[in-house]
Amino acid sequence: DNDGFQVKRTDLIFDMDIHENVSARVWFDPAREALSFPAANANRGLLKRGRNGNLANIQTGAGGVPRLLQDAWINYHGVVPHHDFQIGQFRPALGEEGIRLNGHLDFCERSMIGQFTTNRDLGLQIHGTWVDDRVQYWLGAFNGAGNYYLSGGQTQNRADDNDEKDFQYRIMVRPVWKNETWGSIELGWSTQFG
């Protein structure tokens, strides 16, 4: 329960347009290599105690080493109408807060539930958009290394350790979007299983 300061993020994001139909991103976070800070919010301690009994690692940062590489993906777009395809390491489109960039969060930290949706994995994803982006969907298949509760160790930047795959979908509808009178409403549903 010590008071102090932390450098939690030092995001270096490189976006590339390789071709008019191919874009890519490589994202590094050197602050994730720090071993002396916990990798998660301090308020997750009690939650993690019930999951894997590893409370000390969450509070002190003495657990598994977070990795430097965050995203490394290629996106193919503009050929199949209303669709794009992504392959590589990235966040599955899960949850409302999980897919947002750190700078676009409402608060300085993600919520306790939002922490579970930020794990990256190797896989592929199809994204479809209709009616001026008011109806969208994502379908994905991922390696699923480790397990959802992280008791099997780091899930990001590691080889697959099982024969199973994780599947994910997300549906989003924007009945009122950027309307001067009514504002914006976004309704969505997402899940991951495997």
Side-chain angles (χ1 to χ4, degrees):
D1 207 16
N2 297 329
D3 295 328
F5 299 99
Q6 297 180 16
V7 176
K8 297 280 290 209
R9 298 180 185 100
T10 54
D11 296 335
L12 300 171
I13 302 172
F14 300 95
D15 288 327
M16 296 159 271
D17 289 323
I18 300 169
H19 180 270
E20 64 179 329
N21 302 112
V22 180
S23 58
R25 171 175 284 174
V26 178
W27 178 344
F28 299 101
D29 185 356
R32 294 222 178 228
E33 291 294 330
L35 296 176
S36 59
F37 295 126
N41 300 351
N43 65 355
R44 288 187 69 206
L46 295 176
L47 177 69
K48 291 297 278 188
R49 179 183 291 156
R51 303 287 191 211
N52 66 4
N54 211 1
L55 179 62
N57 289 349
I58 292 298
Q59 290 177 334
T60 65
V65 180
R67 302 294 181 177
L68 179 71
L69 180 64
Q70 299 297 299
D71 284 351
W73 51 255
I74 294 174
N75 185 284
Y76 182 68
H77 54 274
V79 176
V80 178
H82 306 286
H83 289 83
D84 64 271
F85 306 87
Q86 190 161 300
I87 188 167
Q89 177 171 293
F90 54 94
R91 290 182 189 148
L94 188 63
E96 190 275 333
E97 189 182 69
I99 61 170
R100 286 201 220 168
L101 293 173
N102 296 328
H104 298 166
L105 295 174
D106 294 326
F107 299 97
C108 61
E109 294 285 1
R110 295 181 189 278
S111 66
M112 289 172 37
I113 297 297
Q115 287 284 332
F116 284 119
T117 64
T118 61
N119 294 330
R120 289 161 169 88
D121 201 354
L122 288 169
L124 58 95
Q125 181 171 265
I126 299 169
H127 172 230
T129 178
W130 304 88
V131 194
D132 296 326
D133 293 341
R134 289 177 184 255
V135 177
Q136 298 185 46
Y137 65 87
W138 292 257
L139 301 170
F142 298 88
N143 268 347
N147 60 53
Y148 184 74
Y149 299 110
L150 305 180
S151 61
Q154 176 94 9
T155 61
Q156 183 174 321
N157 294 325
R158 69 181 273 192
D160 199 359
D161 60 352
N162 57 61
D163 287 336
E164 305 299 322
K165 297 297 172 228
D166 285 351
F167 300 95
Q168 164 270 327
Y169 69 87
R170 173 185 168 104
I171 300 167
M172 184 180 64
V173 178
R174 296 168 166 169
V176 178
W177 190 246
K178 297 182 181 175
N179 184 293
E180 292 180 14
T181 305
W182 300 101
S184 299
I185 292 179
E186 187 174 274
L187 306 170
W189 176 267
S190 62
T191 190
Q192 186 171 0
F193 55 92

